[in-house]
Amino acid sequence: MNCGKCKVFVCREGQPEKAPEDCPMRREEELYNAAFDKYSNPTVRRIALSAARTEAAGYCEWTRVEEVMEFSRGAGFQRLGIAFCVGLRREAAMCQALFEANGFEVRSVACKTGRRDKSEWGLKDDEKIHKGGFEAACNPVAQALLLNKAGTDLNVLIGLCVGHDTLVMRFSEAPVTVLIAKDRVLAHNPAGALYCHHSYFGKKLLSHGAGGGDGHE
């Protein structure tokens, strides 16, 4: 599968006969049929339909905050969970206030909940950001378990670190969506690195590839 390198994207036009030789549509009919069957599940179908209706109704008009709310209404999600980074606590507070003002119940939990030192995870002192003392570890598993206990219908991630977001998704019983993807360098706009990869960020990004060492010249 090399959809990321595709030049034609015939999947958008309904013309599978024009698909490239390495297109999975040419040889994975059984898989596609099995995937389609999954939409017969009422929850999966409801989420898929709400996503499509939200896209159509607010295309290029609604912000992502609005989309999350409209999608939630369409899917019948009333109790929303927010798992956030303490570094974006103001954004999380604003988001919670907006959700509540629009009629949703909200349960929110910060990343440092549990107050465990990173050393308890097995991190060495010289691997910490601030060496020589207590440094609270992010606790995404606890975030997910607390939201599970609260019975949330949908969990919204705000600014969690790469990997910590992965663990919230892994242990969350409710569906998960991302409102803010953390990128401290680019004001939480990770796509900026892709748009600038031919110029400013090009050398920096390529240094992280195979054989690129630690990214330093």
Side-chain angles (χ1 to χ4, degrees):
M1 295 176 289
N2 280 299
C3 292
K5 297 180 179 180
C6 186
K7 305 297 184 185
V8 290
F9 286 103
V10 298
C11 52
R12 298 184 304 176
E13 312 299 335
Q15 297 176 303
E17 69 279 1
K18 296 183 179 180
E21 288 299 320
D22 61 350
C23 179
M25 290 192 298
R26 284 190 171 273
R27 56 183 181 278
E28 297 289 357
E29 183 177 359
E30 184 176 342
L31 183 149
Y32 283 111
N33 289 336
F36 191 76
D37 288 344
K38 299 292 185 183
Y39 294 99
S40 63
N41 177 287
T43 300
V44 175
R45 180 181 290 270
R46 187 171 71 251
I47 290 174
L49 289 175
S50 183
R53 288 165 180 157
T54 299
E55 179 188 19
Y59 195 71
C60 293
E61 293 184 14
W62 291 344
T63 64
R64 192 171 179 90
V65 173
E66 292 172 292
E67 287 181 337
V68 169
M69 292 191 290
E70 294 301 328
F71 163 74
S72 296
R73 291 191 182 99
F77 297 150
Q78 173 60 27
R79 182 174 295 171
L80 305 183
I82 297 176
F84 68 94
C85 169
V86 293
L88 282 84
R89 56 190 177 276
R90 287 174 294 183
E91 292 86 345
M94 288 187 284
C95 184
Q96 180 163 350
L98 283 170
F99 287 169
E100 291 175 340
N102 280 275
F104 294 98
E105 293 180 52
V106 181
R107 304 292 184 270
S108 56
V109 58
C111 62
K112 302 297 185 182
T113 188
R115 197 182 180 278
R116 298 278 188 143
D117 188 83
K118 290 181 179 179
S119 62
E120 296 185 59
W121 267 236
L123 201 72
K124 298 176 182 177
D125 189 70
D126 63 4
E127 295 176 309
K128 293 181 178 180
I129 299 172
H130 305 291
K131 296 152 177 64
F134 176 84
E135 186 167 288
C138 291
N139 200 348
V141 175
Q143 286 181 289
L145 296 182
L146 285 166
L147 293 174
N148 291 347
K149 189 172 183 178
T152 53
D153 299 317
L154 175 73
N155 292 330
V156 180
L157 306 190
I158 294 181
L160 296 185
C161 296
V162 173
H164 296 150
D165 54 3
T166 304
L167 287 172
V168 172
M169 295 175 192
R170 169 68 177 79
F171 287 95
S172 175
E173 292 176 358
V176 178
T177 192
V178 178
L179 181 61
I180 302 176
K182 176 185 283 181
D183 190 324
R184 294 186 180 94
V185 174
L186 296 174
H188 310 305
N189 173 30
L194 304 179
Y195 299 142
C196 297
H197 86 278
H198 289 299
S199 54
Y200 178 75
F201 284 101
K203 190 174 183 180
K204 181 179 180 181
L205 291 173
L206 290 174
S207 71
H208 289 274
D214 62 3
H216 297 283
E217 292 298 317

